[in-house]
Amino acid sequence: WTTTDFEHPATIKEIISFLEENGVSATRKTIAGDIEDLRAIGIEIDCIRSTQNRYYIEIRHFELPEVKLLVDAVQSARFITTKKSRALIKKLSAFVSRYQGDELKRQLYVDGRTKAKNESVFYIVDNIHTAIRTKKKIEFQYLEYNQKKEKILKHDGYVYSVSPYALLWNDDCYYLVGYSEKHQKTITFRVDRMVRLEITAEKARPKPRELKISSYFSQIFSMFEGEECEIELLCENDTMKYIIERFGEGVSTERVDNDHFRAAATVALSRMFYGWVFQFGGKIKLTAPDKVVDDYNSLLAEAIRQQNS
């Protein structure tokens, strides 16, 4: 299983030698019988016939291209931490031979990507799925960021009580859709900012009939498409969580004064990006480059003219 594949078959002599190295004695006759017994229980062992027949595992649970695909998904998922990604890839490697496993190791090239830091998020997702299935409320605390990019508990550690309805996947992040008792309405929470999540014994509030998750998804999330450009933003301190949510924890920031910080990032310029800036009502301002600032102001002026007309 671990030492053979189509390109690395083993002769019976090599199998006997391998077993002896591991303290097991065998003969050509017993090995041949063992191979037939393994085939009888469904393990597909193929034989390349020659002067010395050579054997290998033909069909595994996953083929190498399938495992590569799963590895790529694990590596690129932002909600899975780097540590957990490595652990999962190591487990996935068990589905291929050690030679094929080397190909998976050579693919480890995305550790520099923005990845979640919340190690427990992997299990939080599973607990949310359980709560949705059993129709139970969940309770958790929520993280945000201060001016120094330090994680702090929102509202001094307030415990949110939520009836979970669905998990959404957008831009490599998980979001929970549910009814929040605090907000008295259906809202979204980013899963990688949840901590100390527990499933309660209390029944969840039924999902409103008019709530269509697919429609809700398209209303809440939109993609930014356009020419990429380096921009600078002047931000009020309480918007740090939105900056990190949009650009990741690796975003470049610096303190300006007691109330503001500056953020620099690469964005895809589009009306949707400008709309993202506009929604903060001046709490986040475009300050550079000049052309981007001018384009933004022109769009605002155009919107005002259309409103007045």
Side-chain angles (χ1 to χ4, degrees):
W1 186 267
T2 61
T3 62
T4 73
D5 54 42
F6 176 74
E7 295 179 343
H8 303 87
T11 65
I12 286 184
K13 183 179 179 181
E14 289 170 335
I15 295 173
I16 292 173
S17 176
F18 176 85
L19 290 173
E20 287 178 350
E21 291 174 3
N22 289 274
V24 178
S25 60
T27 66
R28 299 183 70 87
K29 185 176 180 180
T30 57
I31 293 299
D34 290 340
I35 289 174
E36 292 308 313
D37 288 342
L38 289 170
R39 285 171 170 166
I41 63 172
I43 298 177
E44 299 199 33
I45 300 173
D46 204 356
C47 174
I48 300 173
R49 301 198 177 275
S50 61
T51 305
Q52 292 191 72
N53 290 344
R54 293 172 294 164
Y55 300 87
Y56 65 95
I57 298 290
E58 182 180 18
I59 297 178
R60 300 171 182 271
H61 297 308
F62 296 99
E63 296 179 9
L64 180 59
E66 294 172 327
V67 177
K68 285 183 176 179
L69 183 65
L70 294 172
V71 167
D72 287 344
V74 169
Q75 289 173 323
S76 61
R78 288 174 58 185
F79 86 96
I80 306 177
T81 65
T82 299
K83 180 180 177 182
K84 179 57 69 175
S85 294
R86 288 173 176 162
L88 287 172
I89 290 167
K90 184 177 181 180
K91 291 178 181 179
L92 286 170
S93 298
F95 289 106
V96 298
S97 73
R98 68 185 182 190
Y99 309 104
Q100 295 169 332
D102 289 338
E103 294 188 42
L104 302 181
K105 293 176 185 177
R106 288 198 294 271
Q107 290 189 349
L108 291 176
Y109 57 87
V110 294
D111 280 359
R113 282 198 54 174
T114 299
K115 298 281 277 183
K117 304 297 183 184
N118 185 354
E119 186 67 29
S120 63
V121 69
F122 191 75
Y123 305 100
I124 289 175
V125 169
D126 186 53
N127 283 336
I128 292 173
H129 276 301
T130 299
I132 292 172
R133 178 174 54 82
T134 57
K135 299 180 179 179
K136 299 292 185 181
K137 285 185 178 181
I138 58 173
E139 291 182 347
F140 56 87
Q141 292 173 298
Y142 206 53
L143 295 173
E144 61 178 355
Y145 297 83
N146 61 18
Q147 188 189 39
K148 299 178 181 179
K149 291 197 289 187
E150 297 170 333
K151 290 181 180 178
I152 58 174
L153 290 174
K154 192 170 185 177
H155 299 314
D156 298 320
Y158 178 86
V159 177
Y160 291 81
S161 177
V162 175
S163 298
Y165 298 145
L167 280 168
L168 303 181
W169 177 269
N170 183 70
D171 195 22
D172 285 336
C173 292
Y174 265 123
Y175 293 84
L176 167 68
V177 178
Y179 185 89
S180 167
E181 298 297 336
K182 174 179 174 58
H183 300 90
Q184 292 293 294
K185 63 179 181 179
T186 299
I187 64 172
T188 59
F189 295 90
R190 248 182 75 157
V191 173
D192 60 342
R193 287 170 56 191
M194 296 178 179
V195 292
R196 303 184 184 94
L197 184 142
E198 294 183 357
I199 302 173
T200 72
E202 189 176 355
K203 280 190 174 183
R205 180 187 292 260
K207 181 171 74 71
R209 289 186 178 181
E210 67 274 12
L211 178 61
K212 305 298 182 184
I213 298 299
S214 57
S215 300
Y216 185 85
F217 182 90
S218 61
Q219 292 170 5
I220 294 299
F221 300 111
S222 61
M223 297 297 290
F224 296 166
E225 297 180 354
E227 179 185 355
E228 286 194 348
C229 180
E230 288 281 342
I231 55 96
E232 285 187 4
L233 302 165
L234 180 65
C235 316
E236 294 186 10
N237 286 344
D238 61 358
T239 64
M240 178 63 82
K241 56 181 175 290
Y242 302 113
I243 294 296
I244 290 179
E245 182 173 310
R246 185 67 259 166
F247 303 111
E249 289 189 7
V251 63
S252 174
T253 63
E254 63 176 353
R255 181 181 181 275
V256 174
D257 54 39
N258 290 335
D259 301 314
H260 300 83
F261 65 94
R262 183 178 290 107
T266 300
V267 303
L269 295 176
S270 68
R271 286 176 178 262
M272 283 183 281
F273 167 69
Y274 293 132
W276 178 82
V277 175
F278 179 76
Q279 70 178 309
F280 296 103
K283 284 177 167 289
I284 295 177
K285 297 178 180 178
L286 272 168
T287 56
D290 292 339
K291 182 182 183 306
V292 174
V293 175
D294 291 340
D295 289 346
Y296 178 62
N297 290 332
S298 295
L299 284 172
L300 291 180
E302 178 185 346
I304 293 171
R305 285 196 301 271
Q306 292 178 352
Q307 181 72 24
N308 292 335
S309 61

